Amino acid sequence: MLRSLLLLCAAMALLVGAGVAFSQDKDPLEEGKPVAEHGRYDWLEGKWQVALKLRDADGNWFESSGTAEYRWILDKRFMQESVKCKLDDTPYEWLGIFGFDKDAKQYTAIWFDNLDITSETARGTCEEKTGAMTFEGERSPTGEPKVKFSYVLKKGDGDSLLMEVFEPANGVQRKVMEGRG
């Protein structure tokens, strides 16, 4: 029994030692630095006046206007999106955080807003030629079933901002939000 316990302790010490040696092979400060893909967000930085079109549950469009601000946070590791507008007389705000997961080689996003208590997450790609980013995710509106969505972020005409959200309806992806700035 004592011999087995000693062998187990020795094996654990070897594993821990190997883990320490492995982790010292890579400099965590270098591994955590932004990579070229983070630069795909650079054009967003700044404040934008946006015109929003949103579709209600009945399929009707309504319009709003507001501001969108994009700024780098955490030493240019993430781009923060802050949008403020009104839905009728109700203030509506959302906060998004965009990044790039270099291990998964995917763009990442998470959003929160002041009209719900859930978050939306998505992973995406960036079109090489145009820089258009398409994020695919699934959201869970409070008390409702999960909904798949696509969030497209790209340059519109000239250097304008274009945000689009698509969700399935009757088996077809339909646009439910458009923002132009």
Side-chain angles (χ1 to χ4, degrees):
M1 174 73 172
L2 182 59
R3 183 171 185 233
S4 295
L5 185 59
L6 287 173
L7 284 173
L8 178 63
C9 288
M12 287 177 62
L14 284 173
L15 287 173
V16 169
V20 168
F22 177 74
S23 68
Q24 290 176 351
D25 288 344
K26 295 181 179 180
D27 180 356
L29 295 177
E30 282 300 312
E31 288 295 308
K33 284 186 176 177
V35 293
E37 287 83 356
H38 286 89
R40 293 293 202 152
Y41 294 113
D42 282 341
W43 71 274
L44 287 166
E45 190 170 25
K47 291 184 180 184
W48 304 79
Q49 294 297 315
V50 292
L52 296 168
K53 287 175 37 180
L54 298 107
R55 191 183 302 243
D56 66 19
D58 296 325
N60 301 312
W61 285 100
F62 61 96
E63 296 182 11
S64 181
S65 61
T67 60
E69 181 177 3
Y70 293 85
R71 66 184 187 95
W72 283 109
I73 59 172
L74 302 175
D75 298 323
K76 289 189 84 169
R77 286 171 173 80
F78 299 93
M79 177 65 76
Q80 178 179 299
E81 170 189 62
S82 178
V83 178
K84 296 180 181 183
C85 64
K86 283 197 174 192
L87 303 179
D88 290 323
D89 291 327
T90 305
Y92 179 49
E93 299 179 36
W94 79 75
L95 177 70
I97 306 290
F98 298 95
F100 182 77
D101 181 332
K102 71 179 188 178
D103 292 333
K105 296 183 178 15
Q106 289 184 314
Y107 290 86
T108 59
I110 185 167
W111 296 272
F112 311 91
D113 69 60
N114 67 318
L115 299 181
D116 205 345
I117 57 171
T118 62
S119 61
E120 300 173 10
T121 60
R123 292 194 166 262
T125 58
C126 183
E127 191 177 294
E128 189 65 34
K129 210 173 195 180
T130 66
M133 296 179 172
T134 302
F135 297 90
E136 303 288 337
E138 198 171 66
R139 64 185 188 88
S140 300
T142 304
E144 296 180 28
K146 290 183 178 183
V147 176
K148 291 182 186 262
F149 69 91
S150 297
Y151 183 91
V152 180
L153 189 57
K154 61 186 176 182
K155 289 182 183 180
D157 299 332
D159 281 338
S160 66
L161 167 69
L162 179 59
M163 302 177 277
E164 298 173 301
V165 178
F166 298 87
E167 292 182 354
N170 301 322
V172 178
Q173 285 287 87
R174 74 173 184 168
K175 188 184 294 189
V176 295
M177 192 275 291
E178 178 181 289
R180 292 183 178 272

